Amino acid sequence: MHHPHLLKQAAILLFCATILQTAVAQDPAAKTPDGPFRNGMVVCATPNASKVGLDILKKGGNAVDAAVAVQFALAVTHPEAGNIGGGGFMVYRSAKGNTNTLDFREKGPAAASANMFLDSAGNVVKDMSLATHQASGVPGSVDGMVEAHRKYGKLKWADLVQPAIDLARKGFAISRRLAGSLNWGGPQFRKLNPGKTYFLKDVAWKEGDLLVQEDLAKTLELIRDKGRDGFYAGKVADEIAAEMRAGNGLISKADLQNYHSVWRNAITGKYKDYKIITMPPPSSGGIALLQLLHSVEKYPLHRWGHNQDSTVQLIVEAERRVYADRSKYLGDPDFYKVPVDSLLNPTYLDNRMKTFNWNAATPSSSIQPGAFVGYESDQTTHYSIVDKEGNSVSITTTLNGSFGSKILVGGAGFLLNNEMDDFSSKPGVPNMFGLIGGKANSIQAGKRMLSSMTPTIIEKGGKLFMVVGTPGGSTIITSVFQTILNVIEFDEDMQQAVTSKRFHHQWLPDQVNIEKDALDPAAISKLEQKGYKIISGGASGRVDAILVTKDGYYGGADPRGDDTGLGW
Ligand code: GLY
């Protein structure tokens, strides 16, 4: 069903990303949060962006104000994934319990078409959906931030963009991790950007070097002064269109003008006493998370214990079935009727789990998507914010690959996404995360590519309980799932739940990827005897989360990155 050479390519990508992740250390400035905090908290991928968010909260901004400021600050300080040239999703819950989600996912340009990444023989052209101008969807992040602020923001827009402008213009000292990422991306930056880019230096980047991004500062000034029109019209739109013309890209000025983010009702579900509020399609994340939680709810996970063989076996079997469904039924709901109710039907999910046998792994070849009518370069990023009143925001945003397509818009100084790879280029052929898809997620003009991003908010007893999410491509869903179980079933505090080692199965390829030392040798051997293929590898995801207790807010900032939690 899938191409061995593409799987190999996905495995190599995973391997490279893993090396990249494990070879670089966390920024010493990164901060594991103390807590409890009563007045607000921000947990995100860089110390500088967390500080920007905290300052906004201290100035009287609400969670959405802080989120807007963090989004722009991450575009400067976390160029691998923070972005204005990408897209994302926001899940929002007001202090009173009203919920909403904002879909600012990128869209296929008007000139996009189903077979655009195939050669004349009908084969997928290697890297065409990843490292070319055609790889970019129409960016949604700036419109998303404008829209979120218009609906919920309290402070002045300009004051939320300004901190990012200052960071871009004055520069900031880069972490060891970012130095490693920039050195890793160097050859591609050189190849794909004929002009000068500030991501290239004559010598290797090292920790503490100053990264100054003057062109980005100017673009952010236009966004500060003109809002949406600072990006989707005028100088920046001209520059994007010129960049596209120069590189045979598809995004036109009309595509930019026509881009609008969409408010969608959150999808909600229950797990024991908890209400899960999460992202609907075009993310697969929310539906898959609810399917997974229901699939394991009846089993005594608490008694079996964290990462014990029975726990892992049950979770893997649930994941296998859920990712099979994902491959067939999930796509942009504006183009494809996603059978949400059927996928979340409790009887359907119970019946799916009935085919599982404790004595032996279910081969993925015997599981097909239900019948009713990655790998990771990990370069997505998540942030969780709660303010003094208890309004909360869970945002995951992405360029897709590390530094997206690695193509900077000439003159405008920001990176373009390579999100088109999240579409299914050809039925059954895996994308860079090893995920396969078909009609539901085929490429179409104006359609949003399917995502795994799973920004989530949880209530207990009608009150805010947790804000959670992570990057990690196809592993996003399983990392969020495990973090929730770590708290609810395994009594871990927020930081432990984030730090705990994770594992992942996604139906195809039929293997369990585990972080190094995630399972003890006895558990591995029991699972292997039952036919599970266990592959030990590098870090998976970077979860940033906040837990609300009667004492206040506690954060979990992922030590796998430079992630930092700050509160007051
Ligand atoms: N680009 C990764 C995702 O949206 O799932």
Side-chain angles (χ1 to χ4, degrees), residues 87-89 105-106 282-285 326 375-380 396-401 418-422 431-433 435 449-454 470-477:
F89 300 121
R105 181 72 162 166
E106 303 93 321
S283 186
S284 62
R326 181 195 189 280
Y375 291 107
E376 180 45 356
S377 77
D378 112 325
Q379 294 317 342
T380 294
T396 315
T397 179
T398 186
L399 287 169
N400 196 31
N418 57 358
E419 219 73 59
M420 294 295 281
D421 189 67
D422 270 347
N431 75 353
M432 81 159 169
F433 300 113
L435 294 166
M449 56 296 284
L450 184 61
S451 172
S452 299
M453 295 189 284
T454 315
T470 184
S474 57
T475 68
I476 289 175
I477 300 163

